[in-house]
Amino acid sequence: MSLFLGIDFGTTGVRSSIIDNNKKELINFSVSIDSPLSKGPLVYQNPGLWWSALIKNLTFLKTKIELNKIEKLSIDGTSGTILITDNFGNPLDNALMYNDASAVKESKLVESISDNHPIVSTSTNALVRALSLINKLKKE
C-alpha cells in the first residue's frame, strides 16, 4: 500500500497527515508551538520551534507506520513568512511572520525604486521584510 505524507507548518503548530491510495486519512497528528512574539509592528518566531515540532511529529508517525512506505511528501507553510538560512539550511535569525510590519525603512527604499507601487512597497511585503532581515544580518 502506498502512503503519502503531508506536513503543514502553521503559526501555532506543525501538523502531519498520512493518507493512502484511496485518499483515506490514516493518521493525523499535531504538535502545538508557541505563538509568534510581537514587539510593536515586529512579529517574529523562533524557527527552532518548527524543527522541534517536526521531530515530534515524525517520532510519533514512526510508532504508527514504517516511514519508508511513504512514497510522496507534501510540505506547506504559513504564507509570506520569511526566514534566512546559511548554505546548509540553518536559520540565521528568527523568522519574520506574514503579518510583520516592522520593515519601514526598507519599504521606503522599495517604494522609491518601484514608482510608489503599493503592492511591493508596503512594510508587510515579503521582499521588504527579506531586505530588513538582510540588513539586520549585515550589521551583526
Side-chain angles (χ1 to χ4, degrees):
M1 168 178 29
S2 297
L3 299 177
F4 309 93
L5 170 60
I7 299 173
D8 173 52
F9 289 89
T11 305
T12 60
V14 177
R15 291 162 289 284
S16 57
S17 176
I18 302 247
I19 63 171
D20 64 16
N21 286 340
N22 299 316
K23 301 178 186 172
K24 179 183 176 201
E25 185 172 54
L26 305 175
I27 303 169
N28 186 310
F29 189 70
S30 180
V31 175
S32 296
I33 59 174
D34 293 340
S35 294
L37 301 172
S38 297
K39 291 182 182 175
L42 176 65
V43 185
Y44 62 97
Q45 195 167 45
N46 177 346
L49 297 171
W50 308 337
W51 182 255
S52 188
L54 173 64
I55 297 303
K56 288 177 185 174
N57 266 269
L58 295 175
T59 300
F60 173 81
L61 293 176
K62 192 167 75 171
T63 67
K64 303 295 179 190
I65 62 156
E66 294 177 43
L67 293 180
N68 62 354
K69 295 202 176 195
I70 295 171
E71 290 189 16
K72 305 277 179 162
L73 172 66
S74 176
I75 300 174
D76 72 2
T78 303
S79 176
T81 296
I82 301 295
L83 177 67
I84 294 184
T85 68
D86 65 14
N87 292 337
F88 301 102
N90 299 308
L92 296 176
D93 201 354
N94 288 316
L96 290 181
M97 302 305 290
Y98 62 93
N99 57 341
D100 172 79
S102 64
V104 174
K105 181 178 88 175
E106 291 79 8
S107 71
K108 290 184 186 318
L109 169 66
V110 172
E111 183 178 67
S112 73
I113 61 176
S114 68
D115 293 330
N116 300 325
H117 197 289
I119 292 175
V120 296
S121 63
T122 64
S123 61
T124 57
N125 177 274
L127 168 64
V128 169
R129 290 180 292 116
L131 288 172
S132 74
L133 277 177
I134 291 167
N135 287 337
K136 180 182 177 193
L137 292 169
K138 283 182 179 179
K139 291 177 186 174
E140 293 177 356

